[in-house]
Coordinates of all heavy atoms in Angstrom, one line a residue:
I1 N 4.2 12.8 21.5 CA 3.9 14.1 20.9 C 3.1 15.0 21.8 O 3.3 16.1 22.0 CB 3.3 14.0 19.5 CG1 4.3 13.3 18.5 CG2 2.8 15.3 18.9 CD1 3.7 13.0 17.2
R2 N 2.0 14.3 22.3 CA 1.1 15.1 23.2 C 1.8 15.5 24.5 O 1.6 16.7 24.9 CB -0.1 14.2 23.5 CG -1.1 14.1 22.3 CD -2.3 13.3 22.7 NE -3.1 13.0 21.6 CZ -3.2 11.8 21.0 NH1 -2.6 10.7 21.6 NH2 -3.9 11.6 19.9
E3 N 2.6 14.6 25.1 CA 3.2 15.0 26.3 C 4.2 16.1 26.2 O 4.4 16.9 27.2 CB 4.0 13.7 26.9 CG 3.0 12.7 27.4 CD 3.8 11.4 27.9 OE1 5.0 11.5 28.0 OE2 3.1 10.4 28.1
S4 N 4.8 16.3 25.0 CA 5.8 17.4 24.9 C 5.2 18.6 24.1 O 5.9 19.5 23.8 CB 7.0 16.8 24.1 OG 6.6 16.5 22.8
D5 N 3.9 18.6 23.9 CA 3.2 19.6 23.1 C 3.9 19.8 21.7 O 4.0 20.8 21.2 CB 3.3 21.0 23.8 CG 2.4 20.9 25.1 OD1 1.3 20.3 25.1 OD2 2.8 21.6 26.1
G6 N 4.3 18.6 21.1 CA 4.9 18.6 19.8 C 3.9 18.6 18.7 O 2.7 18.6 18.9
V7 N 4.4 18.5 17.5 CA 3.6 18.4 16.3 C 4.2 17.3 15.4 O 5.4 17.0 15.5 CB 3.5 19.7 15.5 CG1 2.8 20.8 16.4 CG2 4.8 20.2 15.1
A8 N 3.4 16.8 14.5 CA 3.9 15.9 13.5 C 3.4 16.4 12.1 O 2.3 16.9 12.1 CB 3.5 14.5 13.7
V9 N 4.2 16.2 11.1 CA 3.7 16.6 9.7 C 4.0 15.4 8.8 O 4.9 14.6 9.1 CB 4.4 17.8 9.2 CG1 4.1 19.1 10.0 CG2 5.9 17.7 9.1
N10 N 3.2 15.2 7.8 CA 3.5 14.2 6.8 C 4.2 14.8 5.6 O 3.9 16.0 5.3 CB 2.3 13.4 6.4 CG 1.3 14.2 5.7 OD1 1.1 15.4 6.0 ND2 0.5 13.6 4.8
V11 N 5.0 14.1 4.9 CA 5.7 14.6 3.7 C 5.5 13.6 2.6 O 5.4 12.4 2.8 CB 7.2 14.9 4.0 CG1 7.4 16.1 5.0 CG2 7.9 13.7 4.5
S12 N 5.5 14.2 1.4 CA 5.3 13.3 0.2 C 6.7 12.9 -0.3 O 7.7 13.4 0.1 CB 4.6 14.2 -0.9 OG 5.5 15.2 -1.3
D13 N 6.7 11.9 -1.2 CA 7.9 11.5 -1.8 C 8.6 12.6 -2.5 O 9.8 12.8 -2.5 CB 7.6 10.4 -2.8 CG 7.3 9.1 -2.2 OD1 7.4 8.9 -1.0 OD2 6.8 8.2 -2.9
G14 N 7.8 13.5 -3.2 CA 8.4 14.7 -3.8 C 9.1 15.6 -2.9 O 10.2 16.2 -3.2
E15 N 8.5 15.8 -1.7 CA 9.1 16.7 -0.7 C 10.4 16.0 -0.2 O 11.4 16.8 0.2 CB 8.1 16.9 0.5 CG 7.0 17.8 0.0 CD 5.9 17.9 1.0 OE1 5.5 16.8 1.6 OE2 5.3 19.0 1.3
I16 N 10.4 14.7 -0.1 CA 11.7 14.0 0.3 C 12.8 14.2 -0.7 O 13.9 14.5 -0.4 CB 11.4 12.6 0.6 CG1 10.5 12.4 1.9 CG2 12.7 11.8 0.8 CD1 9.9 11.0 2.1
L17 N 12.4 14.1 -2.0 CA 13.4 14.3 -3.0 C 13.9 15.7 -3.0 O 15.1 16.0 -3.3 CB 12.8 13.9 -4.4 CG 12.5 12.4 -4.6 CD1 11.9 12.2 -6.0 CD2 13.8 11.6 -4.5
D18 N 13.0 16.7 -2.8 CA 13.4 18.1 -2.7 C 14.4 18.3 -1.5 O 15.3 19.1 -1.6 CB 12.1 19.0 -2.4 CG 11.3 19.1 -3.6 OD1 11.7 18.8 -4.8 OD2 10.1 19.6 -3.5
A19 N 14.1 17.6 -0.4 CA 15.0 17.7 0.7 C 16.4 17.1 0.4 O 17.4 17.6 0.8 CB 14.5 17.0 2.0
M20 N 16.4 16.0 -0.4 CA 17.7 15.5 -0.8 C 18.5 16.5 -1.6 O 19.7 16.7 -1.4 CB 17.5 14.2 -1.7 CG 17.0 13.0 -0.9 SD 16.6 11.6 -2.0 CE 18.3 11.1 -2.4
R21 N 17.8 17.2 -2.6 CA 18.5 18.3 -3.3 C 18.9 19.4 -2.5 O 20.0 19.9 -2.6 CB 17.5 18.8 -4.4 CG 17.4 17.9 -5.6 CD 16.6 18.6 -6.8 NE 15.2 18.8 -6.4 CZ 14.3 17.8 -6.6 NH1 14.6 16.7 -7.0 NH2 13.0 18.1 -6.3
L22 N 18.0 19.9 -1.5 CA 18.4 21.0 -0.7 C 19.6 20.7 0.2 O 20.5 21.5 0.3 CB 17.2 21.3 0.3 CG 17.4 22.3 1.3 CD1 17.5 23.7 0.7 CD2 16.2 22.3 2.3
L23 N 19.7 19.5 0.8 CA 20.8 19.2 1.6 C 22.1 19.1 0.8 O 23.2 19.5 1.2 CB 20.6 17.9 2.3 CG 19.6 18.0 3.5 CD1 19.3 16.6 4.0 CD2 20.2 18.8 4.6
G24 N 22.0 18.5 -0.4 CA 23.2 18.4 -1.3 C 23.7 19.8 -1.7 O 24.9 20.1 -1.7
R25 N 22.8 20.7 -2.1 CA 23.2 22.0 -2.6 C 23.6 22.9 -1.5 O 24.5 23.8 -1.7 CB 22.0 22.7 -3.3 CG 21.7 22.1 -4.6 CD 20.6 22.8 -5.4 NE 20.4 22.2 -6.7 CZ 19.2 21.9 -7.2 NH1 18.1 22.3 -6.5 NH2 19.1 21.3 -8.3
T26 N 23.0 22.9 -0.3 CA 23.3 23.8 0.7 C 24.3 23.3 1.8 O 25.0 24.1 2.4 CB 22.0 24.3 1.5 OG1 21.4 23.2 2.1 CG2 21.1 24.9 0.5
Q27 N 24.4 22.0 2.0 CA 25.2 21.4 3.0 C 26.3 20.4 2.6 O 27.1 20.0 3.3 CB 24.3 20.8 4.1 CG 23.3 21.7 4.7 CD 23.8 22.9 5.3 OE1 24.8 22.9 6.0 NE2 23.2 24.1 4.9
G28 N 26.2 20.0 1.3 CA 27.1 19.0 0.8 C 26.8 17.6 1.3 O 27.7 16.8 1.4
V29 N 25.6 17.4 1.8 CA 25.2 16.1 2.4 C 24.4 15.3 1.3 O 23.4 15.8 0.8 CB 24.3 16.3 3.6 CG1 23.8 15.0 4.2 CG2 25.2 17.0 4.7
F30 N 24.8 14.1 1.1 CA 24.1 13.2 0.2 C 23.4 12.1 1.0 O 24.0 11.1 1.4 CB 25.1 12.5 -0.8 CG 24.5 11.6 -1.8 CD1 23.2 11.7 -2.3 CD2 25.2 10.5 -2.3 CE1 22.6 10.9 -3.2 CE2 24.6 9.6 -3.2 CZ 23.3 9.8 -3.7
G31 N 22.1 12.4 1.4 CA 21.4 11.5 2.2 C 20.4 10.7 1.4 O 19.9 11.1 0.3
E32 N 20.1 9.5 1.9 CA 19.1 8.6 1.3 C 17.7 9.1 1.7 O 17.6 9.8 2.7 CB 19.4 7.2 1.5 CG 19.5 6.8 3.0 CD 18.3 6.1 3.5 OE1 17.4 5.7 2.8 OE2 18.2 6.0 4.8
P33 N 16.7 8.6 1.0 CA 15.3 9.1 1.3 C 14.9 9.0 2.7 O 14.4 10.0 3.3 CB 14.5 8.3 0.3 CG 15.3 8.0 -0.8 CD 16.7 7.8 -0.2
A34 N 15.0 7.8 3.3 CA 14.6 7.7 4.7 C 15.4 8.6 5.6 O 14.9 9.1 6.6 CB 14.7 6.2 5.2
G35 N 16.7 8.8 5.3 CA 17.5 9.6 6.1 C 17.2 11.1 6.1 O 17.6 11.8 7.0
V36 N 16.6 11.6 5.0 CA 16.4 13.0 4.9 C 14.9 13.4 5.2 O 14.5 14.5 5.1 CB 16.8 13.6 3.5 CG1 18.2 13.3 3.2 CG2 15.9 13.1 2.4
T37 N 14.1 12.4 5.5 CA 12.7 12.6 5.7 C 12.5 13.6 6.9 O 11.6 14.5 6.8 CB 12.0 11.3 6.0 OG1 12.1 10.4 4.9 CG2 10.5 11.5 6.3
G38 N 13.3 13.5 7.9 CA 13.2 14.5 9.0 C 13.4 15.9 8.5 O 12.7 16.9 8.9
T39 N 14.4 16.1 7.6 CA 14.7 17.4 7.1 C 13.5 17.9 6.3 O 13.1 19.1 6.3 CB 16.0 17.4 6.2 OG1 17.1 16.9 7.1 CG2 16.3 18.7 5.6
A40 N 12.9 17.0 5.5 CA 11.7 17.4 4.7 C 10.6 17.8 5.7 O 9.9 18.8 5.4 CB 11.3 16.2 3.8
G41 N 10.5 17.1 6.8 CA 9.4 17.5 7.8 C 9.7 18.9 8.4 O 8.8 19.7 8.6
V42 N 11.0 19.1 8.7 CA 11.3 20.4 9.3 C 11.0 21.6 8.3 O 10.4 22.6 8.6 CB 12.8 20.5 9.7 CG1 13.3 21.9 10.0 CG2 13.1 19.6 10.9
K43 N 11.4 21.3 7.0 CA 11.1 22.3 6.0 C 9.6 22.6 5.8 O 9.1 23.7 5.8 CB 11.7 21.9 4.6 CG 11.5 22.8 3.5 CD 12.2 22.3 2.2 CE 12.1 23.3 1.1 NZ 10.8 23.5 0.5
K44 N 8.8 21.5 5.8 CA 7.4 21.7 5.7 C 6.8 22.4 7.0 O 5.9 23.2 6.8 CB 6.7 20.3 5.5 CG 5.2 20.4 5.2 CD 4.7 19.1 4.7 CE 3.3 19.2 4.2 NZ 2.8 18.0 3.7
A45 N 7.2 22.0 8.1 CA 6.8 22.6 9.4 C 7.1 24.1 9.4 O 6.3 24.9 9.8 CB 7.4 22.0 10.6
L46 N 8.2 24.5 8.8 CA 8.6 25.9 8.7 C 7.6 26.6 7.7 O 7.1 27.7 8.0 CB 10.0 26.0 8.2 CG 10.6 27.4 8.0 CD1 10.6 28.2 9.3 CD2 11.9 27.4 7.4
E47 N 7.4 26.0 6.6 CA 6.5 26.5 5.6 C 5.0 26.7 6.1 O 4.3 27.6 5.8 CB 6.5 25.7 4.3 CG 7.8 25.7 3.6 CD 7.9 24.6 2.5 OE1 7.0 23.7 2.4 OE2 8.9 24.7 1.8
L48 N 4.6 25.8 7.0 CA 3.3 25.8 7.6 C 3.2 26.8 8.8 O 2.1 27.0 9.3 CB 2.8 24.4 8.0 CG 2.6 23.4 6.9 CD1 2.4 22.0 7.5 CD2 1.4 23.8 6.0
G49 N 4.3 27.3 9.2 CA 4.3 28.3 10.3 C 4.3 27.6 11.6 O 4.1 28.2 12.7
L50 N 4.6 26.3 11.6 CA 4.7 25.5 12.9 C 6.0 25.7 13.6 O 6.1 25.5 14.8 CB 4.5 24.0 12.6 CG 3.1 23.6 12.0 CD1 3.1 22.2 11.6 CD2 2.0 24.0 13.0
I51 N 7.0 26.2 12.9 CA 8.3 26.5 13.4 C 8.7 27.9 13.0 O 8.5 28.3 11.8 CB 9.5 25.6 12.8 CG1 9.2 24.1 13.2 CG2 10.8 26.0 13.3 CD1 10.1 23.1 12.6
S52 N 9.1 28.7 13.9 CA 9.5 30.1 13.6 C 10.8 30.1 12.8 O 11.7 29.4 13.1 CB 9.7 30.8 15.0 OG 10.4 32.1 14.7
P53 N 10.8 31.1 11.9 CA 12.1 31.2 11.1 C 13.3 31.6 11.9 O 14.4 31.3 11.5 CB 11.8 32.3 10.1 CG 10.3 32.4 10.0 CD 9.8 32.0 11.4
E54 N 13.1 32.1 13.1 CA 14.2 32.4 14.0 C 14.6 31.3 14.9 O 15.6 31.4 15.7 CB 13.8 33.6 14.9 CG 13.6 34.9 14.2 CD 12.3 35.1 13.5 OE1 11.3 34.5 14.0 OE2 12.2 35.7 12.4
S55 N 13.9 30.1 14.8 CA 14.2 29.0 15.7 C 15.5 28.3 15.2 O 15.9 28.4 14.0 CB 13.1 28.0 15.6 OG 11.9 28.5 16.2
T56 N 16.2 27.7 16.2 CA 17.3 26.8 15.9 C 16.8 25.4 15.9 O 16.2 25.0 16.9 CB 18.4 27.0 16.9 OG1 18.9 28.4 16.8 CG2 19.6 26.1 16.6
V57 N 17.0 24.7 14.8 CA 16.5 23.3 14.7 C 17.6 22.4 14.2 O 18.4 22.8 13.3 CB 15.3 23.2 13.7 CG1 14.8 21.8 13.5 CG2 14.2 24.2 14.1
V58 N 17.7 21.2 14.7 CA 18.7 20.2 14.3 C 17.9 19.1 13.6 O 16.9 18.6 14.1 CB 19.5 19.7 15.4 CG1 20.4 18.6 15.0 CG2 20.3 20.8 16.1
S59 N 18.4 18.7 12.4 CA 17.8 17.6 11.7 C 19.0 16.6 11.4 O 19.9 17.0 10.8 CB 17.1 18.0 10.4 OG 16.7 16.9 9.7
I60 N 18.9 15.4 11.9 CA 19.9 14.4 11.8 C 19.6 13.6 10.6 O 18.6 13.0 10.4 CB 20.0 13.5 13.1 CG1 20.3 14.4 14.3 CG2 21.1 12.4 12.9 CD1 20.2 13.7 15.6
V61 N 20.6 13.5 9.7 CA 20.5 12.7 8.5 C 21.1 11.3 8.8 O 22.3 11.2 9.1 CB 21.2 13.3 7.3 CG1 21.1 12.4 6.0 CG2 20.6 14.7 7.0
T62 N 20.3 10.3 8.8 CA 20.7 9.0 9.3 C 21.1 8.0 8.3 O 21.6 6.9 8.6 CB 19.5 8.4 10.1 OG1 18.4 8.2 9.2 CG2 19.1 9.2 11.3
G63 N 21.0 8.3 7.0 CA 21.4 7.3 6.0 C 22.1 8.0 4.8 O 21.7 9.0 4.3
N64 N 23.2 7.4 4.4 CA 24.0 7.9 3.2 C 23.3 7.7 1.9 O 22.7 6.6 1.7 CB 25.4 7.2 3.3 CG 26.3 7.8 2.3 OD1 26.1 7.7 1.1 ND2 27.4 8.4 2.7
G65 N 23.4 8.6 1.0 CA 22.8 8.5 -0.3 C 23.3 7.4 -1.1 O 22.6 6.9 -2.1
L66 N 24.4 6.8 -0.8 CA 25.0 5.7 -1.6 C 24.1 4.4 -1.3 O 24.3 3.5 -2.1 CB 26.4 5.5 -1.3 CG 27.4 6.6 -1.7 CD1 28.8 6.3 -1.2 CD2 27.3 6.8 -3.2
K67 N 23.3 4.5 -0.3 CA 22.4 3.3 -0.1 C 21.3 3.2 -1.1 O 20.7 2.2 -1.4 CB 21.7 3.4 1.3 CG 22.6 3.3 2.5 CD 21.9 3.7 3.7 CE 21.7 2.5 4.7 NZ 21.0 3.0 5.9
D68 N 21.0 4.4 -1.8 CA 19.9 4.4 -2.8 C 20.3 5.4 -3.8 O 19.7 6.5 -3.9 CB 18.6 4.8 -2.1 CG 17.4 4.7 -3.0 OD1 17.6 4.5 -4.2 OD2 16.3 4.9 -2.5
V69 N 21.2 5.1 -4.7 CA 21.7 6.0 -5.7 C 20.6 6.4 -6.7 O 20.5 7.5 -7.2 CB 22.9 5.4 -6.4 CG1 23.4 6.3 -7.6 CG2 24.1 5.2 -5.4
E70 N 19.7 5.4 -7.0 CA 18.6 5.7 -7.9 C 17.8 6.9 -7.5 O 17.4 7.7 -8.3 CB 17.7 4.5 -8.1 CG 18.3 3.4 -9.0 CD 17.4 2.3 -9.3 OE1 16.2 2.5 -9.4 OE2 17.9 1.2 -9.5
S71 N 17.5 7.0 -6.2 CA 16.7 8.1 -5.7 C 17.5 9.4 -5.8 O 17.0 10.5 -6.1 CB 16.3 7.9 -4.2 OG 15.3 6.9 -4.2
G72 N 18.8 9.3 -5.6 CA 19.7 10.5 -5.7 C 19.6 11.0 -7.2 O 19.6 12.2 -7.4
I73 N 19.6 10.1 -8.1 CA 19.6 10.5 -9.5 C 18.2 11.1 -9.8 O 18.1 12.1 -10.5 CB 19.9 9.3 -10.5 CG1 21.4 8.9 -10.3 CG2 19.6 9.6 -11.9 CD1 21.8 7.6 -11.0
R74 N 17.1 10.5 -9.3 CA 15.8 11.1 -9.5 C 15.7 12.5 -8.9 O 15.1 13.4 -9.4 CB 14.7 10.2 -8.8 CG 14.3 9.0 -9.7 CD 13.0 8.4 -9.3 NE 12.6 8.5 -7.9 CZ 12.7 7.5 -7.0 NH1 13.2 6.4 -7.3 NH2 12.3 7.7 -5.8
A75 N 16.4 12.7 -7.7 CA 16.3 14.0 -7.1 C 17.2 15.0 -7.8 O 16.8 16.2 -7.9 CB 16.8 13.8 -5.6
A76 N 18.4 14.6 -8.2 CA 19.3 15.6 -8.7 C 19.8 15.4 -10.2 O 20.5 16.3 -10.7 CB 20.6 15.6 -7.8
G77 N 19.4 14.4 -10.8 CA 19.8 14.1 -12.2 C 21.1 13.3 -12.2 O 21.7 12.9 -11.2
E78 N 21.4 12.9 -13.4 CA 22.6 12.1 -13.6 C 23.9 12.9 -13.1 O 24.0 14.1 -13.3 CB 22.8 11.8 -15.1 CG 21.8 10.9 -15.7 CD 22.0 9.4 -15.2 OE1 23.1 9.0 -14.9 OE2 20.9 8.7 -15.1
P79 N 24.8 12.1 -12.5 CA 26.0 12.8 -12.0 C 26.9 13.2 -13.2 O 26.9 12.6 -14.3 CB 26.7 11.7 -11.2 CG 26.1 10.4 -11.7 CD 24.8 10.7 -12.2
L80 N 27.8 14.2 -12.9 CA 28.8 14.6 -13.9 C 29.9 13.5 -13.9 O 30.3 13.0 -12.8 CB 29.4 15.9 -13.5 CG 28.6 17.1 -13.6 CD1 29.3 18.3 -13.1 CD2 28.1 17.4 -15.1
V81 N 30.3 13.1 -15.1 CA 31.4 12.2 -15.2 C 32.6 13.0 -15.6 O 32.6 13.6 -16.7 CB 31.1 11.0 -16.2 CG1 32.4 10.1 -16.3 CG2 29.9 10.2 -15.7
V82 N 33.6 13.1 -14.8 CA 34.8 14.0 -15.0 C 36.0 13.2 -14.7 O 36.1 12.5 -13.7 CB 34.7 15.2 -14.1 CG1 35.8 16.2 -14.3 CG2 33.4 15.9 -14.2
P83 N 37.0 13.3 -15.6 CA 38.3 12.7 -15.3 C 38.9 13.3 -14.0 O 38.6 14.4 -13.7 CB 39.2 12.9 -16.5 CG 38.4 13.8 -17.4 CD 37.0 14.0 -16.9
P84 N 39.8 12.5 -13.4 CA 40.4 13.0 -12.1 C 41.5 14.1 -12.4 O 42.7 13.9 -12.3 CB 41.0 11.8 -11.5 CG 41.3 10.9 -12.7 CD 40.2 11.2 -13.7
D85 N 41.0 15.3 -12.8 CA 41.9 16.4 -13.1 C 41.2 17.7 -12.7 O 40.0 17.9 -13.1 CB 42.2 16.4 -14.6 CG 43.0 17.6 -15.1 OD1 44.2 17.6 -14.9 OD2 42.3 18.5 -15.6
M86 N 41.8 18.5 -12.0 CA 41.2 19.8 -11.5 C 40.7 20.7 -12.6 O 39.6 21.2 -12.6 CB 42.1 20.5 -10.6 CG 41.5 21.7 -9.9 SD 39.9 21.4 -9.0 CE 40.6 20.6 -7.5
D87 N 41.5 20.8 -13.7 CA 41.1 21.7 -14.8 C 39.8 21.1 -15.5 O 38.9 21.8 -15.8 CB 42.2 21.8 -15.8 CG 43.4 22.7 -15.3 OD1 43.1 23.5 -14.4 OD2 44.5 22.5 -15.8
A88 N 39.8 19.8 -15.6 CA 38.6 19.1 -16.2 C 37.4 19.3 -15.3 O 36.3 19.6 -15.8 CB 38.9 17.6 -16.4
L89 N 37.6 19.2 -14.0 CA 36.5 19.4 -13.0 C 36.0 20.9 -13.1 O 34.8 21.1 -13.2 CB 36.9 19.1 -11.6 CG 35.9 19.4 -10.5 CD1 34.7 18.4 -10.7 CD2 36.5 19.2 -9.1
L90 N 36.8 21.8 -13.1 CA 36.4 23.2 -13.2 C 35.7 23.5 -14.5 O 34.7 24.3 -14.6 CB 37.6 24.2 -13.0 CG 38.2 24.1 -11.6 CD1 39.5 25.0 -11.5 CD2 37.2 24.6 -10.5
S91 N 36.2 22.9 -15.6 CA 35.6 23.1 -16.9 C 34.2 22.5 -16.9 O 33.2 23.1 -17.4 CB 36.5 22.4 -18.0 OG 35.9 22.5 -19.2
A92 N 34.0 21.3 -16.3 CA 32.7 20.6 -16.3 C 31.8 21.5 -15.4 O 30.6 21.6 -15.8 CB 32.9 19.2 -15.7
F93 N 32.3 22.0 -14.3 CA 31.4 22.9 -13.5 C 31.0 24.1 -14.3 O 29.8 24.5 -14.3 CB 32.2 23.4 -12.2 CG 32.2 22.4 -11.1 CD1 31.6 21.1 -11.2 CD2 32.8 22.7 -9.9 CE1 31.6 20.2 -10.2 CE2 32.8 21.8 -8.8 CZ 32.2 20.6 -9.0
A94 N 31.9 24.7 -15.0 CA 31.5 25.9 -15.8 C 30.5 25.6 -16.9 O 29.5 26.3 -17.0 CB 32.8 26.5 -16.5
E95 N 30.6 24.4 -17.5 CA 29.7 24.0 -18.6 C 28.3 23.7 -18.0 O 27.3 24.0 -18.6 CB 30.2 22.8 -19.3 CG 31.3 23.0 -20.2 CD 31.9 21.7 -20.8 OE1 31.1 20.7 -20.9 OE2 33.1 21.7 -21.2
A96 N 28.3 23.2 -16.7 CA 27.0 22.9 -16.1 C 26.4 24.1 -15.3 O 25.4 24.0 -14.7 CB 27.2 21.7 -15.1
G97 N 27.2 25.2 -15.3 CA 26.7 26.4 -14.6 C 26.8 26.3 -13.1 O 26.0 26.9 -12.3
I98 N 27.8 25.5 -12.6 CA 28.0 25.3 -11.2 C 29.2 26.2 -10.8 O 30.2 26.1 -11.3 CB 28.3 23.8 -10.9 CG1 27.2 22.9 -11.3 CG2 28.6 23.6 -9.4 CD1 27.5 21.5 -11.3
A99 N 28.9 27.0 -9.8 CA 30.0 27.9 -9.2 C 30.8 27.1 -8.3 O 30.3 26.5 -7.3 CB 29.4 29.1 -8.6
P100 N 32.2 27.0 -8.5 CA 33.0 26.3 -7.5 C 33.2 27.0 -6.2 O 32.9 28.1 -6.1 CB 34.4 26.2 -8.3 CG 34.3 27.3 -9.3 CD 32.9 27.6 -9.6

């Protein structure tokens, strides 16, 4: 970190769960907690002004959320259970207030 004039931030479990939700809602990525910790750090560094909003940043998600479904449920709530039918899916989305 010193050699590259970098910075490090720490993130809480809550910030990691927030990053899980953020990635799911904005990118369609279901990452497990360890895999999204870097994204949580990028978000916090942005909020702290350590990264400019105009910067281009890459955050690699290294683990699939299916490795830790319990944390996914803690982050986003129980999944919708929908029969394999497009009309049923669209109806469930409408009931949940989700725009397709």
Side-chain angles (χ1 to χ4, degrees):
I1 293 172
R2 287 185 188 108
E3 289 177 11
S4 66
D5 293 323
V7 297
V9 296
N10 65 328
V11 293
S12 68
D13 289 347
E15 289 168 318
I16 293 169
L17 293 177
D18 288 345
M20 289 176 73
R21 281 188 292 276
L22 175 68
L23 285 171
R25 287 186 180 135
T26 63
Q27 305 304 313
V29 172
F30 181 30
E32 55 102 11
V36 305
T37 300
T39 301
V42 169
K43 183 176 182 291
K44 187 168 190 175
L46 180 64
E47 291 166 354
L48 293 171
L50 300 171
I51 298 173
S52 166
E54 290 81 31
S55 296
T56 299
V57 179
V58 175
S59 176
I60 299 170
V61 178
T62 58
N64 187 296
L66 294 176
K67 290 169 116 180
D68 186 354
V69 175
E70 283 186 32
S71 290
I73 291 171
R74 278 200 330 260
E78 290 289 330
L80 292 174
V81 178
V82 181
D85 175 80
M86 185 57 75
D87 290 333
L89 177 65
L90 294 174
S91 177
F93 277 5
E95 287 176 26
I98 300 170

